[in-house]
Amino acid sequence: MSPADTKTIEARCVRLNVKAENAAALAPLIEFQTLTRGPNDLLIEVKAAAVNPSDVKAATGLMPYAVFPRTPGRDYSGVVLEGPAGTIGREVFGSSGDLGIRRDGTHASHLVVEADAVVEKPKEVSWEEAAGIGVPFVTAMEGYRRAGVPKHGETVLVFGVNGKVGQAAVQIATWQGARVIGVVRKAEAYEGHANAPVEMIDASATDVAARVREVTGGKGADVVFNTVGDPYFQAAHKSLALRGRQILIAAIDRIVQFNILEFYRGQHSYVGIDTLGLSSAATGAVLRDLGPGFASGQLKPFPIKPSAVYPLERAKEAYVAVAGSSRDRVILKP
């Protein structure tokens, strides 16, 4: 590697030096770190970076492969300062399974990532909105890529529909022409964007599987996106159509009762999604599948409230907000 291929910069970074007992015990510092760009890397000036629940979980020792010390953060938007020919000045955004967990991440003034990790930021999307797309949309899209992207006329049942992954799952399914039924734990309306009406089921007052059978003429759901896990496992299982597939991304209690006879007679598929297993480049490929949806306006970024945007110096407040199950998309701005 010749000196001309490399570029170093002093970046201002949030640093976690040791794991904490809980979010309240986190003690992030602001430090300067030297970043070095390789010949196929991009040096990005970070304009905004999201805070995800996984950032906080990794900081509190719930991910044994998370390294210390490190700069957290998986999602980002920014401008390419240095890179291969044709990349400088591009406005981009991205996400990753390893950034901020196994290596230094996005809660910083600058970032080095592989050239194929980024996607173009749509002009009509703000820096903060672009930074907020990452993990929720990648999780939803990777689930559909693995389970089979919903087709026009298929029924998708989304548990935890008002969470960020749930909303992304609704957006993508209705973009593809599928019918969506959402499940919530108390009576509430769907809060996000959709390209078609979303029928809601209040799980506290209604037998979910019975209602799904009722509104689908007895067929059931072709795809169940279970963003909650075991509390809804049985309802999800009983809601599946013949050859239906359930996508699972989370768990509270790890062990569930599982009727193998119903599973194979229903010819069902269960798909587990862990976006922490995706490299930056693999994540970029998922985001590129979503690009046409954002370009057409059928996919929309999450609204960002001014009160949910923090400077790097207030990173601890941002982490505590996310740990407290804030429904807002929380953003750091260098």
Side-chain angles (χ1 to χ4, degrees):
M1 190 185 297
S2 71
D5 290 329
T6 63
K7 169 81 172 179
T8 61
I9 199 165
E10 287 288 299
R12 196 163 53 93
C13 307
V14 177
R15 298 293 285 177
L16 297 175
N17 287 317
V18 293
K19 76 177 182 182
E21 288 278 313
N22 50 48
L26 283 170
L29 303 173
I30 302 293
E31 297 178 357
F32 283 90
Q33 297 286 314
T34 301
L35 304 184
T36 302
R37 181 187 75 80
N40 295 310
D41 294 334
L42 303 176
L43 173 63
I44 294 172
E45 178 188 356
V46 178
K47 295 291 190 180
V51 181
N52 289 287
S54 53
D55 298 321
V56 182
K57 289 176 182 174
T60 55
L62 295 180
M63 293 169 186
Y65 41 77
V67 299
F68 293 90
R70 73 170 186 287
T71 298
R74 299 172 62 190
D75 296 340
Y76 59 92
S77 64
V79 178
V80 179
L81 294 184
E82 297 284 345
T87 62
I88 295 171
R90 287 173 59 200
E91 297 187 351
V92 298
F93 72 101
S95 182
S96 177
D98 54 4
L99 279 175
I101 309 288
R102 297 175 183 86
R103 60 175 173 148
D104 285 341
T106 66
H107 296 170
S109 62
H110 297 80
L111 173 70
V112 171
V113 291
E114 300 85 345
D116 54 1
V118 303
V119 291
E120 294 290 331
K121 181 183 81 67
K123 292 291 181 207
E124 55 279 0
V125 173
S126 74
W127 293 116
E128 294 83 0
E129 288 170 338
I133 288 171
V135 169
F137 274 94
V138 169
T139 304
M141 189 65 196
E142 180 66 4
Y144 289 140
R145 278 164 50 118
R146 291 266 315 281
V149 176
K151 299 182 183 69
H152 187 83
E154 286 195 313
T155 298
V156 178
L157 179 67
V158 181
F159 287 90
V161 73
N162 274 332
K164 291 297 180 269
V165 176
Q167 291 182 27
V170 169
Q171 289 205 39
I172 296 166
T174 57
W175 172 40
Q176 297 299 320
R179 172 192 187 181
V180 174
I181 303 168
V183 179
V184 283
R185 64 184 179 205
K186 60 180 189 288
E188 62 184 23
Y190 174 60
E191 295 178 354
H193 167 70
N195 299 289
V198 178
E199 178 175 343
M200 299 290 280
I201 298 175
D202 172 7
S204 70
T206 306
D207 181 315
V208 174
R211 179 63 181 161
V212 171
R213 297 281 171 200
E214 182 185 335
V215 300
T216 58
K219 179 187 174 189
D222 301 288
V223 180
V224 172
F225 208 122
N226 186 346
T227 74
V228 181
D230 47 283
Y232 287 130
F233 184 84
Q234 292 299 338
H237 172 75
K238 292 186 179 304
S239 299
L240 282 169
L242 184 69
R243 297 191 185 135
R245 49 265 196 221
Q246 180 180 182
I247 302 163
L248 291 150
I249 68 165
I252 298 169
D253 289 325
R254 300 177 187 191
I255 308 301
V256 294
Q257 288 283 312
F258 181 53
N259 188 319
I260 297 172
L261 182 68
E262 289 178 0
F263 173 72
Y264 71 72
R265 287 207 172 146
Q267 301 174 50
H268 297 156
S269 300
Y270 288 171
V271 175
I273 298 298
D274 179 12
T275 57
L276 291 169
L278 296 178
S279 68
S280 294
T283 304
V286 179
L287 286 171
R288 272 185 279 282
D289 280 356
L290 296 167
F294 285 106
S296 69
Q298 290 172 288
L299 298 181
K300 293 187 184 297
F302 302 111
I304 307 297
K305 294 181 182 175
S307 60
V309 179
Y310 298 81
L312 293 183
E313 289 74 15
R314 292 174 58 200
K316 177 172 178 172
E317 291 173 61
Y319 300 156
V320 169
V322 170
S325 301
S326 169
R327 276 197 173 177
D328 298 330
R329 201 73 170 103
V330 174
I331 302 292
L332 289 175
K333 281 201 74 171

